Amino acid sequence: MFLSSRCFPTMSKREKNFECTICEQRFTQKNSLKQHMMIHTGEKPFKCSICDKAFRHKNSLVIHFRIHTGKKPYQCNECKQSYADRCNLLKHVRTHTGEKPFECHICGLNFAISSNRNTHLLVHTKEKSHKCPFCGRLFARKQTAKVHASQRCAARNLHVAAKAETTEQFGCDKCGKSFRRKGRLNVHQRKHSGAKPHVCKFCEKLFRRMRRLKAHIVVHFFE
């Protein structure tokens, strides 16, 4: 069964003779390079017959399919907790054994999970590669950038132009509801007209409110 470096640290000392022509990452096996190239091409040849979700690797499809079947064939001998993926079982077992096989090559700190080691490495490199699509601020972690963009930055940008409130009332001629700002009235009237003037430039989905569009756009930046 295919087990990635998420499960085990890379121990191979073999020469990496196969190089990606796009990002120059090198591999010891031609097949590994072929699988890697799918990241650049976006190719996902293995498709779920139930929900149509696609994957680059056949083993990923097999594991995904267990979501539909509920099958969890891998069980922990210590606490009997079950998992659909052997890799997740191995990570769980380390909570019992205390094993931490993933080492930071800079400071020597060890981690039980490779993703935690990779996040830790950012402390040393100071790399910030995840960008907010609204303000351009950079973040070290993808999840932090996503939360900032969807919960903070989008809302802040929405209300920048609406700081000054007036006491003048703008009434809806359809239902009589009143608003202190004409902009709010215009947005409200779209409920009656069905107008959705805000369009996503990535997928052309329409929205009645700019706030909804900005929250939606985040999905495309962090796919």
Side-chain angles (χ1 to χ4, degrees):
M1 178 178 289
F2 171 78
L3 291 173
S4 72
S5 58
R6 295 183 299 111
C7 307
F8 298 104
T10 303
M11 303 298 288
S12 176
K13 299 296 182 181
R14 294 168 58 188
E15 262 189 79
K16 296 181 178 181
N17 296 321
F18 302 95
E19 182 179 295
C20 173
T21 56
I22 298 176
C23 68
E24 299 182 354
Q25 188 172 342
R26 302 182 69 88
F27 301 87
T28 58
Q29 297 180 346
K30 188 175 181 179
N31 188 54
S32 297
L33 172 60
K34 184 179 178 181
Q35 291 181 340
H36 164 81
M37 287 301 296
M38 292 180 185
I39 296 174
H40 299 299
T41 63
E43 182 185 359
K44 294 181 178 180
F46 302 100
K47 192 173 184 180
C48 177
S49 60
I50 296 178
C51 68
D52 290 337
K53 189 171 183 179
F55 301 87
R56 284 192 292 270
H57 306 293
K58 184 177 181 180
N59 189 62
S60 298
L61 172 60
V62 172
I63 293 170
H64 162 80
F65 201 75
R66 291 174 187 150
I67 295 174
H68 302 298
T69 64
K71 186 179 180 182
K72 295 182 178 181
Y74 303 103
Q75 188 179 70
C76 174
N77 292 329
E78 293 288 333
C79 65
K80 305 306 178 185
Q81 189 165 337
S82 297
Y83 295 87
D85 180 2
R86 188 186 175 202
C87 186
N88 287 332
L89 170 62
L90 292 173
K91 288 190 287 187
H92 164 77
V93 167
R94 291 177 191 137
T95 63
H96 298 299
T97 65
E99 181 188 7
K100 296 181 179 181
F102 299 98
E103 181 181 2
C104 171
H105 68 279
I106 298 175
C107 67
L109 198 61
N110 291 85
F111 299 85
I113 302 173
S114 63
S115 60
N116 290 347
R117 187 269 313 276
N118 295 339
T119 299
H120 161 79
L121 280 170
L122 298 174
V123 174
H124 300 297
T125 64
K126 308 296 183 183
E127 181 184 356
K128 295 182 178 181
S129 58
H130 303 289
K131 187 176 181 180
C132 172
F134 299 120
C135 69
R137 183 177 171 183
L138 294 171
F139 297 86
R141 300 184 64 185
K142 179 179 178 179
Q143 185 60 28
T144 305
K146 188 174 182 179
V147 170
H148 162 83
S150 61
Q151 297 182 7
R152 299 177 186 177
C153 202
R156 189 184 303 121
N157 286 336
L158 176 68
H159 295 293
V160 163
K163 288 182 178 178
E165 291 192 1
T166 67
T167 57
E168 186 177 357
Q169 297 291 313
F170 297 92
C172 174
D173 58 0
K174 297 289 184 181
C175 65
K177 190 172 182 178
S178 297
F179 300 86
R180 274 187 275 183
R181 293 194 293 270
K182 190 174 181 180
R184 289 284 179 88
L185 171 62
N186 292 338
V187 172
H188 164 78
Q189 287 179 327
R190 293 170 193 155
K191 291 183 178 179
H192 301 301
S193 66
K196 294 183 178 180
H198 304 292
V199 58
C200 174
K201 64 181 180 180
F202 298 103
C203 67
E204 299 185 358
K205 188 173 182 180
L206 299 174
F207 296 86
R208 191 162 54 236
R209 295 173 177 267
M210 176 62 76
R211 174 171 58 88
R212 300 291 186 188
L213 170 60
K214 287 185 174 181
H216 164 78
I217 285 177
V218 173
V219 174
H220 294 293
F221 278 88
F222 297 101
E223 285 182 323

